[in-house]
Each structure stands twice: as C-alpha cells, then as structure tokens.
Amino acid sequence: PCVPTMYGRRYNLTKSMADSGNELHFITWDAPYPVSAESLYKQLFSTWRYKSYTHENFYVHKIRRLPFFWPKINGLLFKLQILKLFRELGGDVVISQGYTNEMEVPENIPLIYDMNDDMPAFAEIYGSKIYKLAFKLLNVNGVIESQCRQAAAVIVVSNPLINRAKQYNRQVYKIPNGINKKIIENIQNKPVKKDSVVYVSTFNQWARPIEAIQAVINLKGKFPDIELT
C-alpha cells in the first residue's frame, strides 16, 4: 500500500498507480484556498471532520486539522494521522509533495518527496505581501530541504529543481508536467507566425484561459499576425 499526500495534477499519477494494481490511499484536507468568504466559512465547519471513502479504484482519506493555519498544531496533527494510517494500512511508502510545516511526513516513514513546483520562485515573483509572510511562517524553504534530505528519492518537474534537490539528495528523478505528445507534434509541424503564442495549461480557474484569449484579441491591432495555440 502507498499513501500519497498530494493533489491537483498528481491525482493522475495516483490513478495510474492504482490502475497498475497498487493499493493507493489518497490523503486530502481542507485548506482555505483560494481565500474567499465562502472558503473561510466552510473551514469552520468541515475542517475537523474525518471522512474516508473510495473513489474510482483508490481510497480517499480527508484528515482533520484546525481551521485556517496553525503551523505547530496542524503539523503535529498531520504527522500523528499519517503515522496512524500508515501503520493501520501496512503501508510501504508515502509519496508527498507537502511544502509547509503543516504537512511534513514523520521521519520514521519511508518517503518519496515530490517537488511539484518551484515554490520559492512563485513566492518571489507572484506572491503578495501576505503570501510572502505566510511563506516564511510556514517555513517553506526549510520544509523542502528537510523533506528532500529525509526522502529515499526525490521527484522533480524541471531541470532547475534537479539542481536544487541534488544539494540534499543524490536520488533525483525528473517527471515533467504531462502533455499530450500529439499536441507538441502538431505545433512542431505547423509554421508559426511571428509574435504568436503557444499557451500550455489546463482549463482550471487559476489557468485563466478566457483572459489569455482576450489578451491576444486585444493585441491584434498592434500585432496583426498574432495567433494563439
């Protein structure tokens, strides 16, 4: 049994591992993100409830935590619940992409650490003042380093992250963001006009595809040949 603590696009990795015959247990929790009145209100009533169920061909466990952010307490709750589940399930390994001090895996559990994004770069470039403060309070840099050191192996998504991970662990493997190979082949075989844009993303709300389309439309007057792929 494998206990991944991950979300988003790594959900596909969970599903594919389950399809291959592994017993997968997907760990999730409530967090007030994106921050809104609705998500903050929901936190107060749902975050402390434990829930487990099956989804497709793997198991889901929604673990308990205090609402909003309580680094010391939520970090301890996380470790205790992961350790309890791991022992009850007879787990073999935890795959985690946790990068805050609320989501650190206990040291006595076999760990594969997934550096799913360049969190420090994101905070530096895009983060608001509140985001940067949270980044420090949640000790993101320290957690990334300690989880890399602890892990039997580290998975990264890009070459710059390979260099960072290898400062702390020799066993580093790159699994880049997935994209349909045929899409890349179609782009390579198609003549691209000057000033054109190739936009690779999902259609989730944070990808903002409508805004990307509108931006290209707005630039048509200045760049007549612009195309959006």
Side-chain angles (χ1 to χ4, degrees):
C2 170
V3 186
T5 61
M6 47 192 187
Y7 51 88
R9 58 183 174 70
R10 290 308 197 195
Y11 167 88
N12 295 323
L13 178 60
T14 302
K15 188 176 184 305
S16 65
M17 290 179 70
D19 289 341
S20 301
N22 296 284
E23 182 183 322
L24 266 289
H25 295 262
F26 189 92
I27 310 300
T28 186
W29 54 89
D30 279 343
Y33 182 83
V35 177
S36 66
E38 183 182 355
S39 65
L40 294 173
Y41 180 78
K42 180 185 174 184
Q43 273 272 290
L44 294 172
F45 297 97
S46 64
T47 189
W48 189 248
R49 297 173 185 165
Y50 173 81
K51 185 166 64 172
S52 64
Y53 55 94
T54 56
H55 178 75
E56 297 178 351
N57 56 348
F58 57 90
Y59 304 89
V60 180
H61 305 265
K62 203 279 287 182
I63 61 176
R64 297 181 175 93
R65 53 172 280 148
L66 292 180
F68 316 125
F69 299 100
W70 297 81
K72 297 287 186 182
I73 302 174
N74 277 337
L76 178 61
L77 285 171
F78 184 86
K79 287 182 177 180
L80 290 173
Q81 290 175 94
I82 295 298
L83 186 60
K84 182 173 182 288
L85 275 171
F86 192 81
R87 287 174 173 171
E88 287 178 351
L89 298 168
D92 296 310
V93 66
V94 168
I95 304 172
S96 176
Q97 64 180 38
Y99 54 88
T100 75
N101 51 21
E102 291 191 317
M103 297 182 288
E104 286 189 86
V105 175
E107 292 184 2
N108 54 343
I109 288 181
L111 169 67
I112 295 176
Y113 186 56
D114 178 10
M115 292 179 69
N116 69 305
D117 211 339
D118 193 339
M119 299 303 176
F122 184 89
E124 181 64 30
I125 297 169
Y126 299 108
S128 64
K129 290 182 180 179
I130 294 175
Y131 188 98
K132 290 176 179 177
L133 175 62
F135 188 89
K136 291 181 179 179
L137 293 175
L138 296 171
N139 191 26
V140 175
N141 280 322
V143 171
I144 290 173
E145 178 180 338
S146 65
Q147 296 284 263
C148 281
R149 292 186 188 279
Q150 176 183 333
V154 180
I155 301 168
V156 300
V157 295
S158 66
N159 289 337
L161 290 179
I162 287 177
N163 298 331
R164 178 168 189 184
K166 282 192 172 179
Q167 296 178 53
Y168 316 116
N169 196 312
R170 293 182 179 181
Q171 303 298 320
V172 179
Y173 304 91
K174 185 171 79 168
I175 303 179
N177 291 338
I179 186 168
N180 191 321
K181 185 180 177 184
K182 290 181 180 178
I183 295 174
I184 295 295
E185 290 172 350
N186 289 338
I187 294 171
Q188 289 173 334
N189 297 329
K190 176 185 175 184
V192 179
K193 295 181 180 179
K194 184 184 177 183
D195 302 321
S196 291
V197 179
V198 177
Y199 183 73
V200 182
S201 187
T202 66
F203 288 104
N204 289 312
Q205 65 272 20
W206 52 82
R208 301 174 70 182
I210 303 302
E211 288 88 340
I213 294 168
Q214 189 61 54
V216 172
I217 292 170
N218 293 343
L219 289 167
K220 274 282 187 183
K222 188 174 181 180
F223 304 100
D225 288 339
I226 194 168
E227 287 185 348
L228 175 64
T229 301

